[in-house]
Amino acid sequence: MSVVTSTLSEQARTVVGNALQGALVDLVDLSLVAKQVHWNVVGPRFRSVHLQLDEVVATARQHADTVAERAAAIGVTPDGRSATVAKTSGIHEAPDGWVKDGDVVRTMVDALGVIIGRMRERIAATDEPDPVSQDILIGLTADLEKHHWMFQAESR
């Protein structure tokens, strides 16, 4: 049952809904991974990495809300439940226990790289059916690429 209708065709809504759902899952998982390593980072760069992780979490949460609301606006129910995130995220699981600052940086470089690749696929998929959703995906990808750049610079 859908109580929200959309001006998109059913086919376009399916393509865009899938792209938005995938983006939502990746953003929710990114916020969880970043928070997990945020709590457990140790090492000489603790403070700078700790604060940088908070920025990633804030970005991921803000964009997750925007993506979920866009899905709802086109009549697609967003699914950010833990089981859905665990089953469909493209990110590797966060390391367990204390994590050295250099390993945290590598974890974030890898996670952001994976998500950015998946977002770029979604950008391409939404080009024709819904430029509005595509614009959202472009904006969030730019923010993720900024974090990716900053963590890469931290790892050198």
Side-chain angles (χ1 to χ4, degrees):
M1 169 185 94
S2 180
V3 297
V4 178
T5 60
S6 173
T7 58
L8 297 177
S9 71
E10 189 61 35
Q11 180 181 2
R13 197 168 70 97
T14 298
V15 169
V16 175
N18 288 340
L20 292 171
Q21 177 59 37
L24 175 62
V25 163
D26 283 349
L27 290 166
V28 169
D29 202 20
L30 177 63
S31 72
L32 294 171
V33 167
K35 205 43 131 165
Q36 180 65 29
V37 293
H38 164 90
W39 294 321
N40 293 292
V41 63
V42 294
R45 294 180 294 168
F46 165 82
R47 182 160 173 75
S48 63
V49 173
H50 186 79
L51 294 173
Q52 197 173 357
L53 290 164
D54 272 338
E55 293 171 6
V56 172
V57 171
T59 296
R61 288 178 178 170
Q62 175 188 0
H63 285 300
D65 194 51
T66 300
V67 165
E69 289 177 354
R70 177 64 187 162
I74 64 167
V76 175
T77 56
D79 186 356
R81 296 174 298 164
S82 59
T84 302
V85 173
K87 198 168 31 175
T88 59
S89 173
I91 306 173
H92 296 294
E93 186 175 358
D96 188 24
W98 301 116
V99 187
K100 290 190 162 267
D101 49 11
D103 293 335
V104 167
V105 169
R106 279 186 290 285
T107 295
M108 294 309 297
V109 167
D110 292 346
L112 287 160
V114 167
I115 291 175
I116 289 165
R118 289 166 57 108
M119 291 299 178
R120 288 190 164 276
E121 291 171 5
R122 295 172 184 128
I123 290 167
T126 55
D127 176 42
E128 179 64 32
D130 186 23
V132 175
S133 295
Q134 182 193 44
D135 185 56
I136 291 169
L137 295 171
I138 290 169
L140 75 86
T141 302
D143 287 347
L144 295 176
E145 287 179 341
K146 182 177 178 182
H147 289 299
H148 192 235
W149 156 58
M150 290 181 163
F151 275 108
Q152 287 181 81
E154 184 84 22
S155 70
R156 304 292 178 216

